[in-house]
């Protein structure tokens, strides 16, 4: 038996959570969002504003990400804000705007659910439910999401280890919902030059340890617009199955996360560059 160098305690090697482990599905899981398959050879791009603010903002932003080549539309109707006095999202009205944007653009919608009491309502409007970083260990919410038939986008807690993250996903799978996509979105470190530190290590580690698809959010991971494109490209090069990118038609007016949101032209250029990076690693970008 292996021992630690400075103690006689045996090193206990646990298998880790069972249902999410790679060995339980070595071929990998494909998460299907209305026919868009995440986790295969194709890379899936989700893009849109941080928050749904009004009809015009969402409609313009949705049309620009669609034109740029995104497959899913993102946008929060329920926003987890650090201050209770910041814009909290439009709630149900925002969900209705997302549904209209879906009809207008043909894009499926991913949006955040923050509370067990919202799951049924959000699931009526959304095609994929996002569980945010701050709720990664909200165990009742994870269980409720596990009872939903909608695919789940589970973001990594900003202070969560890979083990804690995999256990959070296990909560969802243990309730019967195997349609879970993981999303690295940056962790807290001593570094203050960026909003978070995007942990690119998480991509290959997660791909080795679980069969679930792994995407990256370079917007929250950096917090700085000019860093989003380089880290998006690095994420694809490192093996990510997709990206979640904040794009706003007028970032300077955004009610939330404007300084990390791409302008539509920047998003379009990024998509062109990503096509080349994807090709270099033997993959293609999904197009609607
Ligand atoms: C978001 O995607 O807008 C968001 C709030 O992300 P996170 O939960 O990763 O902070
Ligand atoms: Mn945001």
């Amino acid at each position: 038996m292996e021992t630690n160098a400075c103690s006689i305690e045996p090193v206990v090697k646990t298998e880790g959570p069972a249902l999410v482990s790679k060995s339980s599905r070595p071929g990998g899981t494909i998460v299907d969002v209305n026919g868009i398959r995440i986790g295969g050879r194709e890379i899936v791009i989700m893009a849109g504003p941080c928050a749904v603010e009004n009809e015009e903002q969402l409609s313009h932003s949705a049309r620009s990400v669609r034109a740029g080549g995104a497959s899913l539309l993102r946008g929060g109707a329920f926003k987890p804000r650090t201050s209770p006095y910041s814009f909290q999202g439009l709630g149900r009205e925002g969900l209705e705007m997302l549904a209209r944007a879906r009809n207008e653009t043909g894009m499926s919608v991913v949006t955040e659910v923050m509370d067990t009491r919202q799951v049924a309502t959000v699931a009526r409007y959304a095609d994929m439910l996002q569980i945010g970083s701050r709720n990664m260990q909200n165990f009742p919410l994870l269980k409720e999401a596990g009872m939903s038939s909608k695919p789940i986008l589970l973001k990594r807690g900003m202070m969560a280890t890979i083990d804690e993250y995999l256990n959070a996903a296990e909560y969802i799978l243990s309730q019967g919902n195997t349609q879970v996509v993981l999303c690295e979105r940056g962790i807290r470190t001593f570094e203050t030059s960026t909003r978070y530190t995007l942990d690119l290590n998480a991509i290959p580690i997660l791909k080795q340890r679980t069969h679930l698809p792994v995407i990256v959010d370079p917007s929250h991971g950096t917090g700085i617009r000019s860093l989003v494109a380089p880290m998006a490209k690095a994420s694809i090069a490192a093996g990510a199955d997709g990206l979640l990118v904040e794009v706003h038609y007028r970032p300077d007016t955004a009610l939330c996360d404007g300084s990390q949101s791409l302008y539509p032209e920047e998003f379009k250029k990024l998509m062109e560059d990503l096509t080349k990076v994807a090709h270099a690693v033997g993959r293609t970008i999904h197009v609607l």
Side-chain angles (χ1 to χ4, degrees):
M1 186 181 291
E2 219 179 305
T3 56
N4 283 327
C6 53
S7 98
I8 52 161
E9 291 290 311
V11 175
V12 181
K13 284 210 174 110
T14 55
E15 265 271 277
L19 298 173
V20 297
S21 75
K22 184 84 175 179
S23 57
S24 78
R25 268 186 171 211
T29 287
I30 302 276
V31 173
D32 188 315
V33 184
N34 288 339
I36 298 166
R37 292 159 58 82
I38 308 167
R41 193 171 162 276
E42 285 192 322
I43 287 158
V44 174
I45 310 296
M46 312 177 185
C50 177
V52 178
E53 298 170 10
N54 57 60
E55 199 84 56
E56 182 192 309
Q57 172 253 9
L58 185 63
S59 165
H60 279 82
S61 303
R63 279 188 273 138
S64 68
V65 296
R66 171 80 165 90
S71 297
L72 271 94
L73 174 65
R74 65 144 289 144
F78 295 96
K79 292 304 303 175
R81 302 306 300 277
T82 300
S83 164
Y85 308 117
S86 299
F87 175 60
Q88 302 283 305
L90 298 177
R92 186 188 281 257
E93 211 191 328
L95 295 176
E96 280 163 11
M97 289 177 192
L98 283 166
R100 284 197 287 277
R102 175 182 38 215
N103 291 341
E104 201 184 331
T105 61
M107 299 174 90
S108 293
V109 163
V110 53
T111 195
E112 180 159 356
V113 56
M114 289 169 53
D115 190 302
T116 52
R117 293 165 296 184
Q118 295 164 350
V119 173
T121 306
V122 177
R124 268 204 299 283
Y125 292 90
D127 303 293
M128 182 177 218
L129 308 179
Q130 176 174 328
I131 296 184
S133 188
R134 291 154 190 82
N135 272 316
M136 190 209 81
Q137 283 189 318
N138 180 338
F139 301 116
L141 183 60
L142 297 172
K143 287 186 192 169
E144 196 71 28
M147 289 185 265
S148 167
S149 55
K150 292 283 163 135
I152 308 295
L153 178 62
L154 177 64
K155 299 190 83 173
R156 180 180 180 183
M158 62 184 79
M159 313 272 264
T161 64
I162 296 290
D163 273 314
E164 288 163 340
Y165 191 19
L166 289 173
N167 272 291
E170 185 82 8
Y171 264 88
I172 301 174
L173 267 65
S174 71
Q175 300 301 307
N177 188 350
T178 57
Q179 294 282 285
V180 176
V181 173
L182 302 176
C183 180
E184 161 60 36
R185 48 78 71 210
I187 52 174
R188 280 250 162 94
T189 68
F190 57 81
E191 183 55 69
T192 53
S193 299
T194 48
R195 186 176 179 187
Y196 296 99
T197 298
L198 188 65
D199 181 14
L200 290 180
N201 293 347
I203 307 164
I205 295 173
L206 288 169
K207 298 290 287 181
Q208 284 166 22
R209 293 191 48 191
T210 176
H211 52 83
L212 297 173
V214 179
I215 72 165
V216 173
D217 169 358
S219 306
H220 293 86
T222 61
I224 300 171
R225 181 179 305 122
S226 62
L227 301 186
V228 172
M231 298 316 286
K233 290 181 234 173
S235 301
I236 299 305
D241 298 304
L243 295 171
L244 183 71
V245 184
E246 287 187 339
V247 181
H248 193 292
Y249 85 126
R250 282 185 192 155
D252 42 310
T253 67
L255 296 179
C256 185
D257 289 350
S259 59
Q260 66 191 34
S261 300
L262 296 185
Y263 284 88
E265 325 68 90
E266 291 175 315
F267 178 67
K268 190 166 179 291
K269 168 75 168 67
L270 171 61
M271 291 297 289
E272 288 161 13
D273 292 350
L274 286 176
T275 304
K276 295 176 214 152
V277 179
H279 187 249
V281 292
R283 303 182 78 171
T284 52
I285 309 277
H286 178 270
V287 283
L288 280 179

